[in-house]
Every structure is written in C-alpha cells, then in structure tokens.
C-alpha cells in the first residue's frame, strides 16, 4: 500500500514536455519569425497600446452638474433676466433658455371661440364632428360661434378663455447670443475612487468671470458663450430661435489613470440634439407651455399662459477611465502568447506542403501508430534480440517514407 | 566573434515544431472530430452568433428626450389643460400628469388648529408631547384648541393657515386615459458616432398627429396614449389614479451596426416603476405638494397649496450597439482555436486508458528521460559502434514497454 | 475515384496527438507542479472569486427615484414647509432644499440704480464703459445716478427695479438639520430582468414613519435625516448653509444573482459633490434665482425675486449585477488552462539550461532535421538494409550529442 502511494507521488511529480522537431531551414525559420513578429506587433500596437487591453475600464461614471446662466435680454420691450428666461431655475444639467413667448394674459375659466384654423366652422355640425379632440385649446362644446350672415366662425370651447392665438409672433430675444453658461461638473469613477472637477482649483475668480471657453486658448475655462456654441455646431442664431431647439454640451472624460490624475481632464463638444430629426417634416423645434396664476380680488383665478420657444441645453457627461489591472492584462497576454504559437500552424502548412524535402519533414514530425499496433507490438516482444534491427528498421519506416502518403492528408488537415 | 554572431543568427532562425504521434484508429479519430465539431459549433452558435463575441460593444448610449403631452380634462368643474396638469412644464424625460388635487386656498402665515388625526388632543399636555414633530402642517405650539366642554380638539400650529385637510377627496380627472404623450428621443453611440432618432424622418405631420403607438400596427409612431400604456402594464385607470403611480416608458436601442444603420430602431416597453413596492403596506402611490403664491393688495403673501396625486412618467432610454472589432474577435477566435485543441486532452484520456492497445499508444506518445540519464548517456558515448544496437534496443524500450507502469500515472495526471 | 474519397475520409479521421518527453526528475517535477498550482490558485482566487470572471455583468442598471422631504423650519419669522423650500416640488432624484433667501419684493420694469460694487461710478463715462455687461441686475444705460456733490453713485440700469441687493444676509433656516428625506428607489437589471426596491415590502408604515437610516442599526430604513447625512460626510451645518452646497446620496447596488435575489440590497453612501472644487477660490457653494409673479389690479406685472442658497441633493443610483454565464466562464477557463500550460515554458528554461544533464534533455526534446535532409534521406533509401544500422546510428546522433551546441541556442530562444 505504502509502495503504491509512493509510486503515485513519484508519478505525480514527473515532468512532461512536448517533443519538438527542429528544422534547420533558413526559409521556414525566417517566415516563422516574421509571422511571430507581426503577431507580437499587432498585440503591442493595437491590443495593448490602442485598445488598452491591459486596463480595467470603469464605464460607470458618476456625475453632478451645476449650471448658471448669465445675461440680460429684451423681449417685447421687457428686460428679461435669469429668473425670467431660465426654466427650471435651479441650475441643473438640463435647462431651457426662453427666446420668445406668446403670452395670453388674463385667462379665466369660461366659454369662448377657438383660434386654431382646424376649428373653423359654418354650422354646429362641423363642431360636433370634433367633440373629444385633444388638439384644441379647450373642450369642444359642439356650438359654432360668430356665423351670422354665412360668415365662417369658430367652434366654441370650454376652458381657459380667451383662447391662445399662437399665430402672433414677436421678435425673439437676440441677446441670447451673448449669454454665458457657467458649468461646474464634478465626476467620480467609483471603481477607482477618483473624483475630478471640470476646472482646476487654481483658476481664480476674476479669470472665471471674464473668460470664455475656447478649445485652443481657454480649454479649462468653464464659461460657455451661447454664440460660440452655435458656431461650433454650425448653426445660426436665427435657425435655432425660429422654432426653438436642443443643444447638447457633451463633457467627455477619458482618463488613463496609469498616468497622474492631473491629466484626467474633460473634452467638451457640442451637438444639436434634434439633428436626428433635421430632415423630418414634422415636429421641429422645441417649445412648451406654462402658466403664471393670479388671483383677482373677487377670488376668481386668472392665469397668464405662456407658449415659450426655447433653446434647451442638456449637459451630457460621459466617459470612462482605465487603469492597469492583472485580469484583463493576463487574459490578453495569454491570448497574445497563444497567438504567437499560431505562427507554427502557418509554417507547418508551408513546410509540409510547399517546401522541398517536405516528405522528410513529415516523416520526422509524424510518428505513426496504426489501430492494430498492439499486434505488431506483441510480435516485437516475442522476437529475439537478433530481430531488433529489422524491427527498428520497420520503426524507422513508420515515421519515414512508409507513411508519406498518409501524412499528406495530415498536413492538409492542419490547414 | 563574428562566427558567434553568425551562429546565433543561424540558431535564431531555426524552426521548431511539435513532434506528433499519429494514431490510425477509427474510434478515437471519430471521437476527436466529433468533440472538435461540438466545440466549433458552440463557438459559432453561442459565442459568435448569439453573444456577438466578435463585436465591440458600446454601452455608453447618450440620449436626449423631449416630450409633449396633449389632452383636456375636467377636474372639480375646471377645465385643465397641459399648462395646468403637467409638472414640470418643459417637456423633459420625467414629468408628472396631475390627476387629482386637494387645494387649500388663501393660506396666510398665522396660527390655527391642525387637521390630522394624530394631532387630536384634550389637554395642552397632549400637544406639548408633540413639539418638534415633522409630521404636522405647521410648527406645534403646544396649545390644544377647541376643547370646551371636554370635547376633543386639535393642537394649535404656527404656519400657513388654515391647515390642509387632505381627507377631502375629489373625483380624479378620468380624461387622462385619452391623453397622448409625444416622445422625441434622439440617441448617439459615441464609440461609433452613430446618431438616431426614435422615428424616421419620412413620417409626415398628419400621421404623427393622428397615430397612436401600437407594437404591431404602428411601431414607429412616437405618440403614446395613456390608456394604451395602462393596458400594456395590466393596470386599470382607477388603480393608478387612486393613489398616484409611476410609469416607466423604456426605450431600448439594441443595434447591430454591422448591418445598415436603418435597422437600428428602438423597442418600447412599459413598466409600473413602483412595482417593487406593490406588496408594501407603506408609502404607496405618488403625490407631491406645491403652492401658487399671490400677493394681496395690502402686501400680505397668500398661497394656494396643492396636494397633487399624479402619474409620473419616466422615459428611460437604454441600449447598446455592437460592431465588428478585431480585438474581441481575435480574443474569442484564439479562445475558440485553443478550445478546439482541448479535444486532444479528452481523446488522450480515452486513448491512453480505455482503448485496446493503450499501452502501445503510451509507449509511442511518451518518451522517457530519467533523472540519472546523463550517466547512461555517457556510457553510450564510450561504447563502440558494435554496442549501438543494444543501446538502441534500450532506447526503444525507453519509449516502449518499460515505461508502461510509469505512463499510467501520466495519463491520469492528464485527466 | 471512390478509392480517393475513402482515402481522404480515412485520413480525416486519423488522430494526432503531441509526442511528449517524460522527465523523471524530482526537482523539475516539483517546480512544475508548484508553478501550475500558483497559476491555478491565481485563477480561482483572483479571476473567479474576486473578479467574478465566470459571471456575465449587467452594468446598464435602470432606476427610478421618488423622494419626499418632511420638516418645518423658520426663516425670517415665516414658517416654511415643504411647498416653500423644496424646488422642484415633484419629488424627483434631484432637488434643492432652500436654507436662506434674499427676497427683493415688488419689482417692476423700470429704471433704477445698480447695487453691485462693480457698478459704482462718479461720471457717466464710468458707466458707458460697462455697456453690454452681463454681470449687472439689468441693462446698463450708461448714466451715473446720485453723484451730486462728487459723491460716489451707481450706474443706472433698465430692468426689474429696485435692483436686488444680495449683501443683506438673513440667518439661515437651522431646522434643516432635522428634516428627513424619504427615498423610494426601484431598480431593474434589464439583462437578467430582475426588479428590486430599496426597502423590503415587509416594512410597516409606522416603522417607516419613525425610523432614521443608520448603516448599522437601520440599514433598510429609507428615511434619511439631513443632520445624519452631514455627519457622514464630516460637514457642519454652518459650512453648508453658509454658501449652499451639493450633497450626493449614492445608492449602490452590487448584486450577485447566483445567490437568492433577496440578498440583492443597496448600500448607501454620501458625498459632498462639490468636493472637487473645495480648494477652488472661485464659485463656491450653490445658489439660484427664481421669481414669483403677481399682477397688480392696474395690470402691471410685479415680481418677487428670490436669490436662494440651498442644499442640493442628488440621488445617484449605480450598480451592477453578475450572474454565471458560459461565455465569460469559458473564456476565462480556457485562459486558465492555457496559462497552466505556460508552466512548461518556465520549466523548460530551467531543465534545458540550469539542470545537470541539460544536454541529454535537449537531445531528447529536440529532434533535428537539417535543411539538406532530403539528400541524406535519398541516400538512405538507396542503401541496403546492411546500412540501416549506421543510418540509425546517425539518426540517433541527430537527436543526441551531435546537436547539443545547436540546442543551446534553442533553449535560449525559449526564454
């Protein structure tokens, strides 16, 4: 029993390594090394240097954005300041700057005629057909108003009266071009516990108050002029104030944390977010309605309805950070080493098929055991030592000329 | 010196390939090919076709959402339009549609009795015990009001008076079922710089104004009827307007950019977001409070407090895009090729243990070198050529019958 | 023809396995096993147990957050409740709690002097130089007001008058420390279709109304006291109410779905989001402006401008879930198996260079074929059987002593 355990341990610590055939051939040797070199270059250049295959990547960036718009404009002879034109007011990552409004003042609940063209009528039947429509300014009652003398009138609605007439158009607030947006963005890569801000702490108050972002001259300035942004996305002010629009301010963090964290800085770029709908005939632009509510002395509620065309800004923060990590590094390294071994597959094909002396290589590389080998083995054991030469001769044939036809198939199965 | 360099170069360009043993056995040959085939099928079918192992995947989708609700309802004999019931009004990705409100009009700062049951009292001591509570409508002063004749009264509060009494309940605005939500979603995959909108540019204005989304008939219609959404998530209008609720409109982009980008379209699905709390006894539904502020002629500030039950809609955009990329392709290909080689491990186990003639295969596969081989090698060198037959005979034994016991251990260490 | 097909099939089902050299050496055998053991331990411990290399990871967490603040405070002798100090009111994932305000009541459109120090003037020229400035409370007209007797005056502005004077400072609302934030967070891992809420359904109403989150005692309580949060991030109330600030409430879901989904619970942690700008001299804190609009009986619009300092809370939900999946498991397993094979590379270096009897091992491991082998092969074929001993002798030399110098180079190319 102890003997068997000992035997097992001895067997366990036996070392096994592949037997190799060494071919002293300049042509195949050079091809082999060149192919290996190409594979190594590919891994170093592409997998490791370009694709950062040795880094663990944190794509779960956490971000907090604070914005502050500054600027004064004139709309309809009123001076508009931040509290008037920025909605919502809290300075989050998504906000709209109102550039023009259609204001319907002093609305109260009641009944009055529609103003939309699609609710024109000549008889009550025209309006009955539109009962339940969601497209009017109020609930269609089914009555056609102002139709004396056969004139075209409007369907009556129940709701906030008078109805909004959004065909009135005021000149938009052009000063928006000079408005500035201050962006404070602080991000965190939770995997590496790295926190960064979008501008260095060393920037002083007066620089921040006077600078405007420029990718070349002021890459760290966190103040963006609306006019500059429009220029970056090749849009004129008119094209965007005409119907309203959405602008994305992308803050992209791409950090290689193998270097000093000081180099982890964002890149800004700007997009017109509704660009995907640029060629769409329907639903262009951006507008929304809101109301300011008042109460008359007699207690009736009045409201001032605003249909606002606006530029909506969305601060979109994206990014990822990479840092050396053993798991992806080793997986890619093993892939690289294994791939280097694949050069042999390629060279074997050449060596065993297209090289002079291919047959001889085959004879050396492949050693054959036939399915009925056990019988010949038995024979060999029975035969005396004087027969061993012959047996060896046979064995030499086994891995030699005898099996050439055989091996052709093999080499092709290698391909 | 030059000779050594030359020698080194010659050695460097030597080609080395593994020496193979070829077994002409139908059974093992077929098993080998079948196992290889299974491995290849697994990689093609699962890794490459199903899991898209050859693609680089961009999960950092960037999204901008614009929404517009349409519809008219009646609540408490008032007609409510978008400006009244959508909060916030700017048409972002998260908004609430108010379905009922408890309105407490004409509140001013002052002192008045509580309305909540938990602030009932008979003596001032009852109220002193509740000083500092956050659950009342105002700051508890410690006085118990209206307790004449031993009747139960209410604790006095300091704050906006009169206090809200939210036990009043109005019938919710049932018309919400017919409201429509228009969603404009534009996304971007930054890794591939692909921008897409949730509906094709070719849709015309009249289609968008009249269609309602349906997964089968109108998959590209970006207008969603609230009633349809409720049907999709198996909720009745009553169940959601009763206490308010949260509905998620998921827009899922799963794009295979190896095909034409035209096939990169979203799939919509709907969830009740508070479903995780469905069985919770506490904190059901969704409501919030807001106030509209007025100023009396005498300068005192008054407010109109609204406790609103609402359906909150959240547009959740998710998705990823894949595109052929060499790095993941090669890593998976190398894994595949290496795995194909693992068939040999499996077949060796069979061949060397369970196949007839296993001993002979072992003899062929393994060639032994013992730790004290150097001595026998020295002997061989000293002996004359007449001895070489015997030496060879021994060598033949080395890789033959002699080491069978040995090899058993080997094959088991292979397992 | 049929013969060739048969031949091809026979060749196809031939089994090929690498020929191995077995070395019975305790030292190399033990080194080999130890290296293999280290590699296996590394993969089990790090790749599989720590990095969960066998799991598919869903990082695209979908989240919906509902918040509700409770508490009553006093500011400027007014009692403030939720409707007064929470902006926006809808209970989303980002909201501000106003702690102090500078209120400028009864503003109307008109002309009046500035209040900011940078718009002090003695002559109109001072003000002309500031035309177009975005930093004032209104549009600079270019006139200097109140300069009689050489006294310093202020530039005139056109806009909402009187201009805000934010140098007035009221005591902040200290009661914010006792405010509580109730957070309802429901998440979903789309890849595995797992939905979870941040507290169990079994919690009852009275527990939720009375508990305060504590990482040790009440880890499932979804109610957070502002004072507790400030303690967690080591901030005093004064430091944050002084200039306002941003606090992040991170809800981190890290779920191992190989276990029961009941163990998939969030971890909360708190950060001061503007920490990245802590040392910045510029733009500290958090404040924003909003206005409440009133209408006088005579129809002129008045507003009440609020400059609010606030604590902004951002609920940041992050996380990922892992579940066993065959693709990452197999890729890592193949990497593991391949890596185990790399032990051979290491041991070959030792065996072929630093071990006694290295030459003999080389002779066994490497079998040489020279580039001009075909000639000698031809010779062999021509020679009779009586020559075969010599040929074999030569062959034995081929893989023996003859090529030792040769093999040195090889082993070094292995390094």
């Amino acid at each position: 029993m102890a003997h068997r355990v000992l035997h097992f341990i001895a067997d366990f610590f036996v070392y096994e390594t592949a037997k190799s055939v060494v071919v002293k051939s300049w042509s195949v040797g050079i091809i082999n090394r060149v192919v290996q070199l190409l594979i190594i270059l590919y891994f170093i250049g592409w997998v490791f240097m370009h694709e950062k295959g040795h880094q663990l990547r944190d794509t779960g960036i956490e971000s907090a954005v604070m914005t502050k718009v500054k600027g004064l404009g004139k709309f309809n002879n009123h001076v508009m300041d931040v509290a008037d034109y920025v909605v919502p007011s809290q300075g989050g990552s998504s906000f709209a700057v109102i550039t023009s409004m259609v204001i319907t003042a002093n609305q109260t609940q009641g009944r009055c005629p529609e103003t939309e063209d699609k609710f024109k009528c000549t008889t009550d039947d025209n309006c009955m057909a539109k009962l339940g429509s969601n497209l009017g300014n109020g609930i269609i009652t089914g009555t056609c108003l102002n139709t004396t003398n056969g004139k075209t009138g409007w369907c009556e609605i129940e709701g906030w009266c008078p109805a909004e007439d959004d065909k009135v158009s005021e000149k938009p607030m052009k000063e928006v071009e000079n408005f500035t947006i201050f962006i404070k963005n602080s991000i965190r890569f939770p995997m590496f516990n790295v926190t960064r801000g979008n501008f260095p702490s060393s920037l002083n108050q007066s620089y921040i108050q006077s600078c405007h972002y420029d990718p070349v001259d002021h890459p760290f300035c966190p103040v963006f002029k609306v006019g500059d942004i429009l220029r970056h996305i090749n849009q004129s002010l008119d094209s965007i104030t005409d119907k309203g629009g959405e602008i994305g301010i992308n803050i992209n963090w791409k950090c290689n944390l193998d270097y000093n964290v000081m180099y982890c800085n964002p890149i800004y770029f700007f997009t017109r977010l509704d660009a995907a709908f640029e060629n769409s005939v329907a639903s262009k632009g951006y507008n929304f309605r809101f109301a300011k509510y008042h109460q008359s002395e007699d207690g009736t509620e009045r409201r001032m309805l605003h249909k606002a065309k606006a530029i909506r800004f969305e601060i979109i923060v994206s990014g990822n950070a990479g840092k050396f990590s053993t798991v992806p590094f080793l997986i890619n390294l093993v892939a690289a080493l294994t791939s280097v071994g694949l050069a042999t597959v390629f060279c074997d094909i050449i060596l065993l098929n297209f090289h002079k002396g291919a047959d001889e290589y085959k004879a050396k590389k492949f050693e054959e055991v036939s399915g009925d080998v056990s019988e010949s083995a038995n024979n060999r054991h029975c035969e005396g030592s004087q027969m061993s030469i012959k047996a060896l001769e046979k064995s030499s044939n086994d891995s030699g000329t005898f099996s050439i036809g055989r091996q052709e198939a093999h080499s092709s199965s290698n391909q």
Side-chain angles (χ1 to χ4, degrees), chain A residues 45 140 145 160 162 174 212 234 265 286 345 399 402 407 410:
Chain A
I140 305 292
L145 296 176
W160 290 99
K174 293 283 181 200
H212 290 162
N234 285 318
N265 288 314
Y286 173 60
V345 173
S399 60
F402 173 84
Q407 307 310 332
H410 268 286

Side-chain angles (χ1 to χ4, degrees), chain A residues 63 65-67 92-95 181-185 224 247-251 268 273 313-317:
Chain A
S63 158
V65 171
M66 207 215 74
T67 55
S93 63
S94 172
F95 60 91
I181 302 165
F182 167 66
I183 299 175
K184 216 163 91 178
N185 172 223
F224 299 82
I247 290 175
I249 302 179
N250 290 262
I251 307 183
Y268 301 94
L273 288 177
F313 292 90
E314 298 259 0
I315 320 293
I316 301 171
V317 179

Side-chain angles (χ1 to χ4, degrees), chain A residues 313-333:
Chain A
F313 292 90
E314 298 259 0
I315 320 293
I316 301 171
V317 179
S318 59
N320 58 64
K323 198 173 190 175
F324 178 87
S325 172
T326 42
V327 173
F329 173 65
L330 276 179
I331 285 175
N332 280 305
L333 189 69

Side-chain angles (χ1 to χ4, degrees), chain A residues 143-154:
Chain A
T143 311
C144 188
L145 296 176
N146 305 327
T147 48
T148 42
N149 307 328
K151 265 198 344 192
T152 311
W154 307 85

Side-chain angles (χ1 to χ4, degrees), chain A residues 255-279:
Chain A
C255 293
N256 186 340
L257 297 177
D258 291 338
Y259 300 130
N260 191 312
V261 78
M262 298 298 292
Y263 297 112
C264 176
N265 288 314
I267 292 166
Y268 301 94
F269 61 95
F270 311 95
T271 44
R272 176 130 192 204
L273 288 177
D274 40 7
F277 302 103
E278 204 175 16
N279 303 317

Side-chain angles (χ1 to χ4, degrees), chain A residues 171-190:
Chain A
K171 279 220 294 234
M173 181 172 65
K174 293 283 181 200
E175 293 87 349
V176 72
E177 207 160 3
N178 294 321
F179 289 3
T180 57
I181 302 165
F182 167 66
I183 299 175
K184 216 163 91 178
N185 172 223
S186 120
I187 58 117
R188 192 169 154 264
F189 289 110

